[in-house]
Amino acid sequence: MIELKMNTLEAFFYHWILSFPMAQENTPYKIEFNHQGKKGTIAFLGDQLVQLEVVQDQDIVFSLHFLIDDIQLVSQHFKSFFDFMKNTENVEQEDIVIQNTNVKKILFVCSSGVSSSYFAREIEKNLEEIGMNLQVDSTYLENLKNCIEDYDIVFFAPQVVSHLKEYENYETKCVGIHSYDFGTWNFNKIINIALRG
């Protein structure tokens, strides 16, 4: 058995979630929930990293990872996971509302650039399908200060949304993506937010 060193905050969330009535400890540091055909997993990976995932009909339908560093945001992420688990309806993409916009360049930022890269590709593809040719890029948090001024709007993934305040003084509009929308890949909702500028 691998022994992880948990800090106080990690241990608190781990034991709190493990105390839930439907919680099952699958392996050490991995808690499962089964509800209405959905299998949800909360994995504590060490170094304050948590992975939330929901599988339904063998497909991943919700996925989110983040650091346990801000109690309020972490609580929101767990709430999104449990809201999704108990939701009996499929999450439907909202329609894109095409409108005149001053937004020409959109940037997605996350901790390593991996999930933001995926979001940028999918957003760009959805925009192309409706005939909108906007530049959509991605970067990692440590690089953001080098490029933020080149974009009209920057979306912060849930794992870095706690850094939004550091970018308040830039003229570029900065928006945090809600963990429910990020976890369910609600691309069209994010596009609508971007087009409103």
Side-chain angles (χ1 to χ4, degrees):
M1 175 174 119
I2 299 170
E3 192 67 34
L4 292 182
K5 286 253 187 202
M6 285 191 177
N7 70 19
T8 305
L9 205 50
E10 284 176 286
F12 166 78
F13 279 109
Y14 178 76
H15 291 291
W16 173 61
I17 290 166
L18 194 55
S19 72
F20 288 14
M22 296 174 64
Q24 299 173 350
E25 189 175 31
N26 180 338
T27 58
Y29 313 109
K30 191 173 186 180
I31 303 168
E32 287 186 356
F33 296 86
N34 291 289
H35 184 66
Q36 298 178 338
K38 295 177 184 172
K39 179 181 176 183
T41 305
I42 299 175
F44 290 77
L45 305 174
D47 294 325
Q48 295 181 264
L49 184 63
V50 177
Q51 172 71 40
L52 309 180
E53 194 171 271
V54 179
V55 174
Q56 185 173 24
D57 298 327
Q58 298 182 339
D59 293 323
I60 298 173
V61 291
F62 183 99
S63 180
L64 183 66
H65 66 276
F66 55 89
L67 289 175
I68 295 182
D69 59 356
D70 180 298
I71 292 176
Q72 186 175 1
L73 288 172
V74 169
S75 299
Q76 180 192 81
H77 301 335
F78 283 125
K79 182 180 183 314
S80 293
F81 170 83
F82 288 114
D83 285 348
F84 184 81
M85 282 293 293
K86 67 182 179 187
N87 188 358
T88 56
E89 299 174 15
N90 291 332
V91 176
E92 291 188 23
Q93 290 278 329
E94 62 182 63
D95 293 331
I96 298 172
V97 180
I98 301 173
Q99 53 189 301
N100 290 331
T101 181
N102 293 326
V103 173
K104 303 292 180 223
K105 296 174 79 176
I106 302 168
L107 182 67
F108 287 86
V109 61
C110 68
S111 53
S112 66
V114 176
S115 53
S116 60
S117 173
Y118 171 70
F119 257 72
R121 278 195 316 272
E122 292 300 315
I123 295 285
E124 192 168 49
K125 190 168 32 171
N126 287 16
L127 285 167
E128 286 172 358
E129 287 174 6
I130 60 168
M132 295 193 80
N133 188 20
L134 303 181
Q135 182 177 335
V136 185
D137 297 315
S138 65
T139 192
Y140 54 98
L141 187 63
E142 293 299 317
N143 187 51
L144 182 57
K145 286 186 176 154
N146 297 327
C147 61
I148 188 171
E149 293 177 359
D150 297 334
Y151 293 88
D152 302 307
I153 189 166
V154 176
F155 285 98
F156 283 65
Q159 63 265 37
V160 295
V161 79
S162 62
H163 294 272
L164 263 172
K165 289 180 183 167
E166 299 168 29
Y167 295 89
E168 286 177 341
N169 296 326
Y170 287 87
E171 291 196 22
T172 301
K173 183 174 181 181
C174 296
V175 179
I177 303 173
H178 193 281
S179 51
Y180 194 94
D181 297 327
F182 195 88
T184 58
W185 310 295
N186 198 342
F187 302 123
N188 290 358
K189 183 174 183 180
I190 294 162
I191 289 171
N192 284 335
I193 293 168
L195 295 180
R196 287 194 296 266

